[in-house]
Amino acid sequence: MIRNIINYFSSSSIIFILGIFLLPIYTRFLTPIDYGILALYIAFGQIFTNIISFGLDTANFRYFFKDKNKLDDFKETNSTNLIILIILLFIGLIFTYFTLDFFEDFVFKKKISKNVIFISYIFASLFKVYQYFFRLLIAQERSLLFSLIQVLYFIIGNTASLILIIFFSFNYMGKIYGDLLSVFLCLIISIYLQRKYIGISFSINKAKRSFKFSLPLTPNKVMGSIQTNADKYIISIFRNLSELGIYELSQRLSNLNRLFVDNVIRAWQPYFYNNINKNNNIIVDIYYKIIFFLSIFYLSFIFFSEEIVYILTTPDFYQATYLMPLIICSMFFSITSAAIYSVQIMYSERTKYILPITFIEILINVSLNIVFIPMFGIFGAIISLLASSIVASLLGFFYGQKVCTLPIKYNKMYLVYIFLFFSSLFQLYFIDYNVDMVLKIIIKLLIICLYIFLLCLIKFISVKDFQYLINNLTKIITK
């Protein structure tokens, strides 16, 4: 598992560093309005393809672990799911084409054009098939290959985008065309890598099995997409594209840490599935260590979000300094809780329990957004996001234990959650505190060191854990 994490981290480090250098270029050439349009562009395709695909990529990932020892069995499973997925996406393409006027006039109120809407669906469909094959690399624990393709996707997309934006004076369309080229080329590579699992066979029984697993997840995926994008849509309706652009950039900056965190989760999921029947105590102990180390990372990101905005953006986007701390905090709640309850539910195959978690989360999020965004603008969206994340995390813990009981002591996690929440509030106060920037940085570093010391003092983590991590990093880096 450590080796996989390191491989994932290596690619994420490259992407992170390149992203740091590229972001000032994008914010120089693209306006907040451009970012607002890109937010709506991403939202439409993501929501629609999640509706139309019925979560078949998730079913394919799950049944790889059941069929992996029998090549013909999984080849039949994979081919069956792929045929259904392509047919469904094609139906969605036809539907989108004939309803473009409706979406442009009534859904988006002419904030984005028909051309953007149609390309949004095409990109999302290609990405869905790409993700379908790409996720198999995670299941196969081919972390190095996964990482190489991840870096390639990033380089192709951003190189093409910047060429179009800088040398050919494209606006947001340069980013759209660049990403479209990237997903197309990487899809071809992913298909080639998984070619031994592709055939023309179709099994009704395998299709039924996949739908039985994925259908309960479909409302969750759809509602998850709506929950992720509802705030952006409501901002575009009640406020304007410029505010939406600042909110979108705040989320993108906050998501820089996801490049690292998602890779930990990618390594964690196969480890959980492969070891859950061996020793539950070890599973829980590893989960604790993941949470506590991630909390250090997130705390650092919260405190230095202010400096990140000032360094990487222009004054048009400086309002993001007030948005990022609580966005990062809500992300920590969601990611760390889902890391355990989602695999508990997936392992039990009682996926119907995902539905109430997501339903309650989206109900709270959308309801609060409708009330708070007209009143407080993008700050209302932050309040709604944080509140819904907390409630969903608590519900997830409850249902996870209901279907797959593990000896988890949640009080440990709640202490960490409370500390990060109040640290986020402190950072919001500290932004306007009239003190030298160097002194600010020293104070933040001291708080982070104090937090690490407290984790060790109450034995949530130990010096040996740090030594183990450093030793594995050193071994892999030197090989």
Side-chain angles (χ1 to χ4, degrees):
M1 179 178 171
I2 292 293
R3 177 176 293 278
N4 288 335
I5 291 177
I6 299 304
N7 285 335
Y8 292 138
F9 265 115
S10 298
S11 65
S12 294
S13 299
I14 294 171
I15 293 172
F16 180 81
I17 293 169
L18 291 175
I20 292 295
F21 284 105
L22 293 178
L23 190 57
I25 302 174
Y26 279 120
T27 53
R28 179 182 175 186
F29 287 94
L30 299 181
T31 66
I33 292 176
D34 289 330
Y35 274 97
I37 293 172
L38 287 172
L40 295 178
Y41 161 81
I42 293 169
F44 174 76
Q46 184 184 91
I47 293 173
F48 199 4
T49 53
N50 276 339
I51 293 173
I52 204 75
S53 63
F54 292 108
L56 286 171
D57 57 324
T58 305
N60 209 52
F61 180 87
R62 175 65 184 93
Y63 287 117
F64 172 84
F65 294 97
K66 281 199 169 184
D67 300 342
K68 64 180 180 179
N69 295 322
K70 297 178 181 178
L71 176 60
D72 290 339
D73 275 1
F74 184 68
K75 184 175 182 179
E76 188 175 54
T77 297
N78 186 64
S79 300
T80 299
N81 291 335
L82 181 60
I83 290 170
I84 297 172
L85 178 63
I86 291 173
I87 292 172
L88 291 173
L89 291 174
F90 182 75
I91 293 172
L93 180 70
I94 301 301
F95 176 82
T96 302
Y97 179 78
F98 286 105
T99 55
L100 285 174
D101 288 330
F102 169 79
F103 284 116
E104 182 186 39
D105 296 335
F106 297 101
V107 177
F108 292 108
K109 308 295 183 183
K110 294 189 180 295
K111 296 289 178 68
I112 57 175
S113 66
K114 289 186 288 187
N115 183 46
V116 171
I117 295 170
F118 193 58
I119 296 175
S120 171
Y121 182 83
I122 292 173
F123 171 79
S125 297
L126 291 174
F127 190 82
K128 182 64 69 174
V129 181
Y130 163 67
Q131 184 183 49
Y132 177 90
F133 288 106
F134 197 45
R135 289 190 68 187
L136 288 179
L137 294 177
I138 301 174
Q140 295 158 356
E141 298 190 66
R142 299 166 72 181
S143 56
L144 181 59
L145 192 55
F146 179 97
S147 301
L148 290 173
I149 298 175
Q150 192 177 38
V151 172
L152 182 65
Y153 181 93
F154 180 86
I155 291 175
I156 293 174
N158 284 283
T159 301
S161 297
L162 289 174
I163 289 173
L164 292 173
I165 291 170
I166 296 172
F167 297 106
F168 295 92
S169 301
F170 277 70
N171 50 13
Y172 59 88
M173 289 303 299
K175 182 60 176 166
I176 289 174
Y177 290 140
D179 288 344
L180 195 61
L181 174 65
S182 181
V183 74
F184 178 74
L185 293 177
C186 289
L187 171 59
I188 293 173
I189 294 171
S190 298
I191 291 173
Y192 176 78
L193 292 173
Q194 303 294 345
R195 62 192 182 281
K196 72 176 181 179
Y197 296 124
I198 301 174
I200 56 174
S201 57
F202 187 90
S203 167
I204 296 296
N205 290 332
K206 293 290 176 67
K208 289 180 179 178
R209 182 181 70 166
S210 292
F211 275 116
K212 183 179 179 180
F213 179 87
S214 66
L215 281 177
L217 294 175
T218 301
N220 174 69
K221 277 184 169 287
V222 174
M223 288 191 294
S225 298
I226 294 173
Q227 192 272 336
T228 302
N229 295 292
D231 48 1
K232 300 172 185 178
Y233 178 73
I234 296 171
I235 290 171
S236 73
I237 297 299
F238 288 104
R239 308 297 289 192
N240 54 65
L241 286 176
S242 183
E243 284 193 41
L244 174 57
I246 294 171
Y247 182 70
E248 170 70 5
L249 185 72
S250 301
Q251 291 208 323
R252 290 193 181 201
L253 287 170
S254 301
N255 274 316
L256 285 175
N257 63 25
R258 290 292 296 268
L259 295 172
F260 294 97
V261 176
D262 285 352
N263 290 326
V264 176
I265 303 304
R266 288 185 185 113
W268 159 250
Q269 289 174 339
Y271 179 86
F272 180 93
Y273 288 131
N274 291 325
N275 293 276
I276 181 64
N277 291 322
K278 297 177 182 177
N279 191 321
N280 284 352
N281 289 320
I282 293 178
I283 287 283
V284 172
D285 188 54
I286 294 294
Y287 174 64
Y288 285 153
K289 294 186 190 311
I290 289 173
I291 298 305
F292 299 142
F293 276 110
L294 285 182
S295 70
I296 298 171
F297 179 70
Y298 271 89
L299 180 64
S300 304
F301 204 56
I302 286 169
F303 279 150
F304 292 103
S305 58
E306 178 185 4
E307 289 76 12
I308 289 171
V309 173
Y310 291 150
I311 293 171
L312 299 183
T313 70
T314 60
D316 288 341
F317 296 96
Y318 282 176
Q319 190 180 1
T321 56
Y322 297 95
L323 306 179
M324 284 182 63
L326 289 177
I327 292 177
I328 296 168
C329 186
S330 67
M331 287 171 56
F332 179 75
F333 293 162
S334 297
I335 292 169
T336 54
S337 59
I340 191 66
Y341 76 71
S342 63
V343 289
Q344 286 175 290
I345 294 173
M346 294 294 182
Y347 175 77
S348 71
E349 298 187 24
R350 299 167 72 181
T351 51
K352 64 182 181 180
Y353 288 105
I354 292 284
L355 183 59
I357 300 170
T358 309
F359 178 76
I360 295 298
E361 183 177 19
I362 193 173
L363 181 64
I364 293 173
N365 185 266
V366 173
S367 299
L368 292 180
N369 273 322
I370 292 172
V371 174
F372 289 150
I373 287 176
M375 295 170 60
F376 306 114
I378 48 182
F379 294 100
I382 304 298
I383 297 170
S384 306
L385 179 65
L386 184 62
S388 60
S389 297
I390 293 172
V391 174
S393 297
L394 295 174
L395 276 176
F397 288 145
F398 172 76
Y399 283 113
Q401 288 292 82
K402 181 174 182 176
V403 299
C404 180
T405 304
L406 294 173
I408 301 173
K409 296 179 180 178
Y410 290 106
N411 60 317
K412 289 185 175 184
M413 299 169 59
Y414 294 152
L415 286 174
V416 171
Y417 287 172
I418 291 170
F419 187 90
L420 258 71
F421 173 70
F422 281 103
S423 296
S424 300
L425 297 181
F426 172 78
Q427 173 59 20
L428 290 176
Y429 165 77
F430 209 39
I431 290 172
D432 291 325
Y433 196 73
N434 189 20
V435 66
D436 181 72
M437 182 62 72
V438 175
L439 181 58
K440 264 190 176 183
I441 293 173
I442 292 173
I443 292 172
K444 292 174 184 180
L445 288 172
L446 287 174
I447 295 174
I448 294 169
C449 291
L450 176 62
Y451 176 68
I452 295 172
F453 174 76
L454 290 174
L455 287 179
C456 294
L457 185 66
I458 57 183
K459 298 181 180 180
F460 283 2
I461 54 177
S462 66
V463 176
K464 289 183 179 180
D465 294 327
F466 284 99
Q467 291 174 339
Y468 177 77
L469 182 62
I470 293 170
N471 289 337
N472 277 277
L473 280 169
T474 305
K475 286 180 183 178
I476 294 174
I477 290 172
T478 55
K479 284 187 177 181

